[in-house]
Every structure is written in structure tokens, then in C-alpha cells.
Amino acid sequence: MGWYRAADLLLSRLDAEDAHGLAIRALKSGLMPRDRRPDPPSLRLEVLGRTLANPLGLAAGFDKNAEVPDALLGLGFGFVEIGSVTPRPQAGNPRPRLFRLGEDRGVINRMGFPGQGLEAARARLQGRPRQGVVGVNVGANKDSVDRAADYVTCAAALAPFADYLVCNVSSPNTPGLRNLQGRAQLGDLLKRVQDSIAAHPVPLLVKIAPDATDDDLDDIVAVCRDLRVDGIIIGNTTLSRPPSLRSARRGETGGLSGAPLMALSTEVLRKTARRVERQFLLIGCGGVGSGADAYAKIRAGASLVQLYSMLVYEGPPLVRRIKDELAALLARDRLASVVDAIGTDL
Ligand SMILES: Cc1cc2nc3c(=O)[nH]c(=O)nc-3n(C[C@H](O)[C@H](O)[C@H](O)COP(=O)(O)O)c2cc1C
């Protein structure tokens, strides 16, 4: 039995949020093994003005308070996204608010952006060495009157420490937040954020919901194109519930992620890619748990791929495994570089 399997037996008996707290503590203490093997050269790519050793990133929500970005990079991710950060600290929704759907390899969460707030995140980001690619994902406080102002506050304060910024307008757990994906609201929000980071220009991305309709996608892509936004992440958790779900917890309120999200999020990624026509970067996120999943997202138009939920089931060895599997798939298809695979299914 591998070390993670043994630890996992223990962790799976804990409440999901307690297990997550333990994982953060283990990362802080340096107990997690690092992935020291160099990445296959075929996985290397240039994006967002940086060179990444591989296209696999950790999605937002795991390290909301920027406590362990460097330990997470050490697990072998090509990039790590911290947040969502909100201007003021807030408690989020009452617990329990995070549920494993073991039979489905899924997760439902209704966290509601619990976090230590902007100042705590800024202090940590300011104090770390600038190495590796660390993105900063920003959101809004639940009780704020001017939600767009919250994004502006966080973006302006954190841009100097971010390799890229993400406006998360797609969390389903803050009432009304997803309305910011509407054409006028999104345009206003992104314009204000762009103005606020003019002194520290960093790539700006938007993270959208996999529940976006075709009309929503038309609007989102049009706004991003008009404003020359650098990229879109597709996407966040879904409010939908595929009929295939079997776990007892499938009726919990919140956003669904993990394996049951793979097909939906990849289809919406593909639709987005067809509209974007390679004018800006797409990051595929939702249900990635294997090299084949990552490859499917890349062929559907993603330059980069992110994951979170499958890490809950597979642990840190998943990162190495996905990279190795992806490199093997590229070799099978006689592609020298992952870049050659981007959008090949479109
Ligand atoms: C517990 C949990 C918390 C999350 N918190 C955030 C968040 O704060 N901001 C955000 O943009 N996405 C958040 N997400 C969404 C993930 O970043 C990701 O978009 C989604 O889970 C789909 O990817 P996955 O299937 O690989 O988990 C969260 C997901 C989970 C499971």
C-alpha cells in the first residue's frame, strides 16, 4: 500500500473539511513528498508570458488564503491558483458544507468563500520568493453592496504579487454572484479591474460557470474579446446534477465537481473555444483525474488544465501520474509538444 493510500484510509473517515485542514497542515510542515523528477520536455509550454514545465495546475479553492502555494508547486503542478480572496475576512456558510460523493468520484461544496481576507493573503504573497507560476483568484464578500468594487479592491492590491489574476464570477454559493457573467455587468467589472491594475499589468482571466448557455457564451466571449482579456477558465462547479449520480449525498445544495463534471465542462470548453478562435487563452477545469482527461480538455481547446476534486480521491501522486499519462498520449499520437495538441478536436 502506497503512503498516500494509507493516509487516505484515515482521511476518508474524517469530515471532508477536517481532512482538507490536515492536508494544508501537512503541506505547511513540509511532510508532503516533492515531485523531484523533471517533467517530460513534451509538456513544456509558453503561456501568459511565462514558461511552464507542464500544463497541469491546481484550481482555486484548495489554498484560499495563500498559505502553501510553494509546497503545492513542489507536488509537481505547472502552476497553482490561490483564492478566491475576498476583501474582508468572512466565515462562509455553516458546516457541514463540503461533501464527498465517493461512489461517483465527485464532490459537492457550498463553502461560500470562507477566508481570511485580502490582507492575510497579501502578507503571505508578499513574503514568498517569486518563483513558479502562482495565479490569484479574486471574489466578492457576501454582504457587499458593490460587488464589482470588491474585485477591484482585491485585484489592485494583489496584482503586484500575482503571475495572473482571475475574476471568479461563477461561484454558485454566493447569491447573485453569477449575475456578474451578464454582458453589461461583466464588461463593467472587467473594465474597472483592468483600470485598477494599469500600474501593475498582469494577465487577467475570467472564470465562468459550466452552466453557461450558448447565449451566455456569446456574451462572455464578446466582452472578453472587446476588452482584450487574456483568458477564460471553464469552469467552476455546476448546479446541475447528472442523472448518473448514485451517492446518498447527491441531493446536497451546492456546486458539484469531480468526475461527474468532466463531460459537461469539456463540452462547454469546446463551445467556448469555437467562439474564441484562438484569440486568447483557455484553461480547462472540471473533473480531470487522468492524463486522458487532461488530453481531452487540451484537444477541446485548452492550453492549460486545472484540477481540484480528484486530488481528494487520489492524493498528490495523481499529479505525476497525469503528467506521465499525458506525455505517453502525446508520444502515441506522434506529437512532439503539448502545444501541437491544443484544439485538435475542434
Ligand atoms: C471545496 C471547493 C472549494 C472551491 N472554492 C473555489 C473558490 O474559492 N474559487 C473558485 O474560483 N473556485 C473554487 N472551486 C472550484 C474549483 O476551482 C474547480 O473550478 C471545480 O471544482 C472544478 O474542478 P474539479 O472537478 O477538478 O474540482 C472550489 C471547488 C471545491 C471542490
Side-chain angles (χ1 to χ4, degrees), residues 146-161:
D146 182 356
R147 289 254 165 89
D150 282 14
Y151 290 83
V152 169
T153 303
C154 290
L158 297 176
F161 314 108

Side-chain angles (χ1 to χ4, degrees), residues 59-61 64 84 109 137 168 207 235-236 257-258 285 287 307-309:
K64 286 180 184 282
S84 293
N109 93 81
N137 176 312
N168 170 18
K207 183 165 175 181
N236 217 307
S257 55
C285 179
L307 64 82
Y308 177 168
S309 298

Side-chain angles (χ1 to χ4, degrees), residues 23 145 187 226 245 247 341:
V145 184
D226 284 354
L245 292 181
S247 306

Side-chain angles (χ1 to χ4, degrees), residues 46-69:
E46 315 268 333
V47 279
L48 301 168
R50 300 289 300 269
T51 302
L52 271 61
N54 71 77
L56 183 64
L58 178 66
F62 185 93
D63 188 6
K64 286 180 184 282
N65 300 302
E67 292 176 275
V68 286

Side-chain angles (χ1 to χ4, degrees), residues 122-273:
R122 171 158 56 185
R124 292 196 186 102
L125 291 171
Q126 203 163 11
R128 67 178 283 272
R130 279 305 281 276
Q131 59 194 19
V133 174
V134 175
V136 173
N137 176 312
V138 300
N141 281 113
K142 183 178 178 183
D143 59 0
S144 82
V145 184
D146 182 356
R147 289 254 165 89
D150 282 14
Y151 290 83
V152 169
T153 303
C154 290
L158 297 176
F161 314 108
D163 293 306
Y164 67 89
L165 278 171
V166 181
C167 289
N168 170 18
V169 288
S170 49
S171 168
N173 301 310
T174 297
L177 195 87
R178 285 184 168 198
N179 295 338
L180 293 170
Q181 292 174 118
R183 192 171 190 139
Q185 294 95 318
L186 187 63
D188 173 62
L189 168 77
L190 293 174
K191 182 84 189 63
R192 286 167 68 181
V193 168
Q194 281 178 328
D195 290 346
S196 77
I197 60 171
H200 277 286
V202 287
L204 178 64
L205 285 77
V206 190
K207 183 165 175 181
I208 68 169
D211 305 321
T213 63
D214 290 359
D215 288 347
D216 294 337
L217 293 179
D218 286 341
D219 285 348
I220 291 165
V221 170
V223 170
C224 290
R225 188 178 286 132
D226 284 354
L227 292 177
R228 297 176 179 272
V229 165
D230 297 279
I232 302 182
I233 304 180
I234 305 115
N236 217 307
T237 57
T238 178
L239 284 170
S240 68
R241 295 290 182 270
S244 59
L245 292 181
R246 288 160 46 216
S247 306
R249 294 293 200 179
R250 66 186 174 205
E252 291 290 349
T253 299
L256 172 70
S257 55
L261 178 56
M262 175 65 199
L264 172 68
S265 57
T266 307
E267 190 46 36
V268 177
L269 163 68
R270 192 187 319 278
K271 287 180 178 176
T272 311

Side-chain angles (χ1 to χ4, degrees), residues 23-161:
I24 295 274
R25 271 164 56 192
L27 284 157
K28 267 188 185 166
S29 68
L31 278 177
M32 292 278 190
R34 294 178 61 87
D35 179 11
R36 295 184 190 279
R37 208 151 36 98
D39 289 333
S42 61
L43 298 188
R44 208 178 162 82
L45 74 174
E46 315 268 333
V47 279
L48 301 168
R50 300 289 300 269
T51 302
L52 271 61
N54 71 77
L56 183 64
L58 178 66
F62 185 93
D63 188 6
K64 286 180 184 282
N65 300 302
E67 292 176 275
V68 286
D70 297 293
L72 288 164
L73 286 167
L75 297 182
F77 286 109
F79 64 110
V80 165
E81 190 172 308
I82 66 104
S84 293
V85 177
T86 58
R88 285 167 287 114
Q90 63 178 21
N93 291 320
R95 288 177 67 168
R97 54 195 178 177
L98 177 58
F99 307 92
R100 297 189 198 93
L101 276 62
E103 283 171 79
D104 304 300
R105 314 274 285 168
V107 171
I108 290 179
N109 93 81
R110 52 170 177 271
M111 305 294 283
F113 289 163
Q116 298 166 1
L118 169 59
E119 283 314 323
R122 171 158 56 185
R124 292 196 186 102
L125 291 171
Q126 203 163 11
R128 67 178 283 272
R130 279 305 281 276
Q131 59 194 19
V133 174
V134 175
V136 173
N137 176 312
V138 300
N141 281 113
K142 183 178 178 183
D143 59 0
S144 82
V145 184
D146 182 356
R147 289 254 165 89
D150 282 14
Y151 290 83
V152 169
T153 303
C154 290
L158 297 176
F161 314 108

Side-chain angles (χ1 to χ4, degrees), residues 269-337:
L269 163 68
R270 192 187 319 278
K271 287 180 178 176
T272 311
R274 289 202 177 111
R275 287 165 170 78
V276 167
E277 295 169 334
R278 292 190 175 239
Q279 285 173 315
F280 47 81
L281 176 87
L282 299 180
I283 301 183
C285 179
V288 172
S290 68
D293 292 339
Y295 196 37
K297 299 255 190 218
I298 291 164
R299 282 182 289 133
S303 296
L304 302 175
V305 171
Q306 290 177 316
L307 64 82
Y308 177 168
S309 298
M310 291 307 283
L311 205 57
V312 172
Y313 293 106
E314 303 283 332
L318 179 65
V319 182
R320 178 85 251 165
R321 195 178 327 135
I322 290 181
K323 291 188 293 185
D324 287 345
E325 289 172 1
L326 180 57
L329 288 165
L330 292 170
R332 182 200 67 187
D333 292 345
R334 300 184 197 289
L335 297 174
S337 162

